[in-house]
Structure formats: structure tokens, C-alpha cells
Amino acid sequence: QKEVEQDPGPLSVPEGAIVSLNCTYSNSAFQYFMWYRQYSRKGPELLMYTYSSGNKEDGRFTAQVDKSSKYISLFIRDSQPSDSATYLCAMSPLNSGGSNYKLTFGKGTLLTVNP
Amino acid sequence: NAGVMQNPRHLVRRRGQEARLRCSPMKGHSHVYWYRQLPEEGLKFMVYLQKENIIDESGMPKERFSAEFPKEGPSILRIQQVVRGDSAAYFCASSPDASGPGYTFGSGTRLTVV
């Protein structure tokens, strides 16, 4: 079993739809959970960051973490064509010294929002 | 602030040649991380460096790969005697410290071995 599983899609939705992206994981030591957005031929860009369980909202984006189920989600409301990209989940444990530098990524989900 | 700068953007090498990938972190960032993204795979951690020190190289292949971050100049990821399986996108990221949250990534170097 891979440490982080993410459905690669592709996922195609109409403009304005609510998008749900998900990852599951197996490593109970993961404490930090991140979502990155990656446009074609670009580097990943940090969207959301959550420590431990709970929800976090930033504009049209909401990140949820359910540690009991080892399941994280990213919701995009009122999706726009500019949201078309690959979305990567990433997570890390709390390393010694309090650092969390070593990220384990999902493979990414390719999202297309059609105008 | 120019962000994390990686060059070259694209690099083509013949089998057996050496590849040198360069990464200049964001201004004020002294922590550098290298990740590799193989086709159809997620990003995989390779190495974490601070100035003049390798902190964690647990993700580096045992042979042919090395990394450095000298006191002056960019961080360098060096791949000796490249093979076709080294073809991938190599991303560098930087941060002001190692405690998070998340990194700033560069746009990557796409290495093609022919």
C-alpha cells in the first residue's frame, strides 16, 4: 500500500461547479497536510496548509483533514477555468526538532474546469 | 523577489554524460530541498541542504547522484553517467527555516536522457 493515494482523474467539471479532491494515507505519523496546485510545466504552488485535524477555509478553497479515517479533502467552490491544473496533496510527520520538511506527495489529480 | 530560480529549464543529455542542475533559493532562504517527479509519479523527496551542509539525503539514489549548497552560489544537483531512467522533472524548493508551512518551489528542470 502506498503511503499516499490520490485519484489521478482526470476530472472535468463545468464552470461554477463545486469540486472535491481527496487523498487517503496510511502513515499515522503524518501531522501536516498540504495542497499544492501545479500548472502545466510549472512548479507546485502551495494553496492550503493544515496541522492535524479540522477544517481550514481560504476564499473559495476549503481543506478538511480527518485523521481518524486518514482522509483529506480539498473543496473548490464556484470553480473557474483558471482553476484548471493538477492538484497535489502532500503530508509530513513531525520530525525531530519540530521540523516538517520531508513531504510525501500524492500523484496529483488533473482538473479541467470548462467555461 | 524573484522566487526560486532553477536553470536550465530543459536539459538534454546523452547516456553516460553528466547533468548539473542549479537552484538559487529565494532571497533570505537558507534551506533548500530537491524533489524528483518521474512520469506518472508524484514528487519524491531527494535531499535537504543548508549552506555547506547536507541535512538529509535519505531520498538520494546511492550512486551517481550528489548535491551541494556552497557558501556562495546556487545549490547544485549533479547526476553522473546519466541513464534513461533519470529522465524526469527535478524541482528545487526553499524555505527560511525547516519548520514549515510548506515550501516555495521553482519551475523545475526537465531532464531528458537520450
Side-chain angles (χ1 to χ4, degrees):
Chain A
Q1 181 185 13
K2 288 186 180 294
E3 277 194 297
V4 179
E5 299 271 9
Q6 183 175 11
D7 186 342
L11 182 61
S12 181
V13 301
E15 184 175 353
I18 297 174
V19 176
S20 172
L21 303 165
N22 312 293
C23 288
T24 58
Y25 63 95
S26 58
N27 189 343
S28 300
F30 288 144
Q31 297 280 352
Y32 295 90
F33 304 92
M34 284 145 276
W35 286 95
Y36 282 83
R37 178 175 62 195
Q38 186 176 22
Y39 292 113
S40 180
R41 301 294 184 182
K42 297 291 187 182
E45 169 196 0
L46 181 65
L47 276 178
M48 304 281 289
Y49 165 88
T50 309
Y51 172 69
S52 194
S53 285
N55 294 357
K56 188 171 185 178
E57 189 173 320
D58 184 1
R60 296 184 296 109
F61 298 88
T62 300
Q64 290 185 351
V65 175
D66 181 349
K67 291 187 72 179
S68 62
S69 301
K70 296 189 177 68
Y71 187 89
I72 69 171
S73 301
L74 178 71
F75 297 96
I76 308 173
R77 291 183 299 280
D78 188 24
S79 56
Q80 302 295 309
S82 59
D83 295 328
S84 298
T86 297
Y87 289 80
L88 308 167
C89 62
M91 41 201 86
S92 73
L94 182 64
N95 299 307
S96 60
S99 66
N100 66 334
Y101 62 83
K102 194 169 179 179
L103 303 186
T104 300
F105 281 84
K107 288 186 179 182
T109 299
L110 178 60
L111 170 68
T112 301
V113 180
N114 301 298
Chain B
N1 193 337
V4 178
M5 304 300 294
Q6 289 189 249
N7 64 81
R9 292 295 304 275
H10 301 276
L11 182 62
V12 179
R13 285 287 177 265
R14 296 187 183 279
R15 283 177 292 172
Q17 290 184 321
E18 178 179 288
R20 281 182 167 246
L21 288 62
R22 290 178 292 279
C23 169
S24 296
M26 287 184 69
K27 189 175 181 180
H29 287 192
S30 59
H31 299 248
V32 166
Y33 317 84
W34 285 92
Y35 281 74
R36 177 166 65 172
Q37 188 173 36
L38 291 164
E40 309 303 322
E41 295 289 329
L43 282 91
K44 304 288 186 189
F45 171 82
M46 299 182 76
V47 63
Y48 161 37
L49 309 108
Q50 295 179 25
K51 287 281 187 182
E52 300 184 280
N53 284 300
I54 297 174
I55 307 301
D56 182 348
E57 56 181 347
S58 59
M60 290 278 271
K62 298 298 181 204
E63 297 176 349
R64 302 187 297 108
F65 284 72
S66 62
E68 62 177 7
F69 189 15
K71 187 176 180 181
E72 301 291 338
S75 175
I76 305 288
L77 179 68
R78 182 182 178 203
I79 311 172
Q80 295 179 293
Q81 300 176 333
V82 296
V83 300
R84 288 228 170 104
D86 297 332
S87 295
Y90 292 82
F91 290 96
C92 167
S94 71
S95 66
D97 54 47
S99 61
Y103 312 138
T104 301
F105 279 89
S107 292
T109 293
R110 278 149 187 86
L111 172 66
T112 302
V113 179
V114 297

